[in-house]
Amino acid sequence: MAARSVAFSLGCIGRMLPRVLQQQSARAVATAGALPLENTAAGAAASSNPSTSSNSSSASDVKKRILQHALTHVPVHGWSSDALVMGAADAGLPSVAKGIFPRGPAHLVEFFGQKCNDDLRAHIAAKSAEEIHIGHTQHLEDSLIYRINLLQPHSDNWSQAVALMANPANASYGLEIVYNMVDDVLRPMDDENTPPVQQFAKRAALSTVYLAAELHFLQDKSPDLADTHEFIRRRIGDLKTLHSLTESVQKTLPDISPIFNKGVNMLQELLQQRTRR
């Protein structure tokens, strides 16, 4: 039953990812043609504050400063516009600076998600290649548990963050964060001889496990998230091996392979863009 559930979820993600990745490619093109800083709200906010240093004159620097400060207000004000306004004030900027975030507090959730991904990437980098090679299952369990634990400081209001990222306007951004995370987890295990379709399926499968674990986390009242940790171990166990799951899904859902092939092409473009940045 668990394998069927994972296979069904994998099929849904397999159908969704190509569309999401196409949106990511379109956003990358749009970003390349973005307006100069002086024509943006970020530029106006930066120029209105004489204390803003020259090395913080770009829009991305201004956004980062606001978001870093805003995160400190999330425990009290949640993932909200109020947190952004207070973050702008702490950064020495006027409240109008929140206008540089067109999707509002969803930007704050993304910023936190990317920060968690950075922390996980450092955690994985500290492992030896031999340690990962010998214990694939342990590596998967440890990585997903580590990533879930990073949400614990915001357990009281994480349901608000999930609701924000479930909005159609934000869903592709949230899925990209999850995909980037599982890509970091699986890349040390990749075999260069593995067909791209299987690599894509592995990432979709692990994304399914993580997203299910995050939903379980929302209701977990056990000490130190023990129930969520056990849930992750069971779901990794249900996969048996990611290779066998891929074969099972391709037999159960034979129409998935063409979608995977389309998605793989878009994934390759996305990964090339990530390499260039």
Side-chain angles (χ1 to χ4, degrees):
M1 181 66 70
R4 272 184 177 278
S5 175
V6 173
F8 175 77
S9 299
L10 176 55
C12 294
I13 289 181
R15 290 182 174 90
M16 188 191 311
L17 273 175
R19 183 174 68 254
V20 168
L21 295 169
Q22 192 170 35
Q23 293 172 355
Q24 300 301 329
S25 298
R27 283 205 294 269
V29 172
T31 301
L35 289 172
L37 174 65
E38 59 269 18
N39 293 335
T40 66
S47 62
S48 68
N49 187 348
S51 67
T52 302
S53 60
S54 59
N55 63 357
S56 298
S57 60
S58 73
S60 60
D61 288 335
V62 172
K63 288 180 179 180
K64 185 176 180 180
R65 288 171 55 212
I66 294 174
L67 293 171
Q68 285 175 331
H69 287 292
L71 269 182
T72 66
H73 295 284
V74 168
V76 174
H77 297 280
W79 306 92
S80 65
S81 295
D82 287 344
L84 289 175
V85 169
M86 298 184 114
D90 289 350
L93 300 170
S95 60
V96 71
K98 74 171 185 176
I100 65 177
F101 304 107
R103 289 177 296 104
H107 288 271
L108 186 55
V109 179
E110 291 167 39
F111 178 76
F112 176 69
Q114 290 162 357
K115 182 177 181 297
C116 290
N117 283 359
D118 290 342
D119 289 348
L120 175 60
R121 196 174 299 116
H123 176 72
I124 293 172
K127 299 180 181 181
S128 67
E130 182 180 3
E131 181 182 357
I132 294 174
H133 178 72
I134 293 175
H136 280 186
T137 298
Q138 184 177 354
H139 168 66
L140 295 177
E141 292 176 356
D142 170 73
S143 297
L144 265 58
I145 287 173
Y146 184 90
R147 180 62 165 77
I148 280 286
N149 285 348
L150 295 175
L151 306 182
Q152 195 166 12
H154 299 291
S155 58
D156 290 341
N157 54 26
W158 190 246
S159 59
Q160 185 184 12
V162 171
L164 278 169
M165 301 315 291
N167 185 303
N170 305 320
S172 63
Y173 295 86
L175 187 55
E176 183 185 14
I177 289 172
V178 173
Y179 173 80
N180 288 343
M181 183 269 291
V182 299
D183 183 56
D184 289 332
V185 172
L186 289 170
R187 195 180 304 122
M189 297 167 50
D190 279 343
D191 182 344
E192 60 182 14
N193 296 320
T194 302
V197 168
Q198 288 189 16
Q199 292 189 17
F200 182 77
K202 289 177 182 180
R203 283 152 175 76
L206 200 60
S207 294
T208 300
V209 172
Y210 177 78
L211 290 170
E214 195 168 298
L215 292 177
H216 193 278
F217 160 80
L218 294 178
Q219 304 177 47
D220 190 353
K221 303 300 181 184
S222 64
D224 299 321
L225 302 181
D227 287 350
T228 299
H229 295 176
E230 182 57 30
F231 177 87
I232 289 173
R233 294 188 183 97
R234 287 199 308 270
R235 290 297 169 263
I236 295 295
D238 288 339
L239 298 185
K240 302 300 182 183
T241 66
L242 291 174
H243 177 71
S244 65
L245 176 66
T246 302
E247 292 179 343
S248 172
V249 170
Q250 289 174 339
K251 291 177 182 177
T252 307
L253 301 167
D255 60 323
I256 291 299
S257 292
I259 299 171
F260 278 165
N261 283 321
K262 181 179 178 182
V264 167
N265 292 333
M266 294 180 183
L267 279 175
Q268 290 173 335
E269 292 178 10
L270 177 62
L271 291 174
Q272 288 172 359
Q273 292 168 6
R274 289 180 60 198
T275 301
R276 289 195 295 268
R277 287 203 293 267

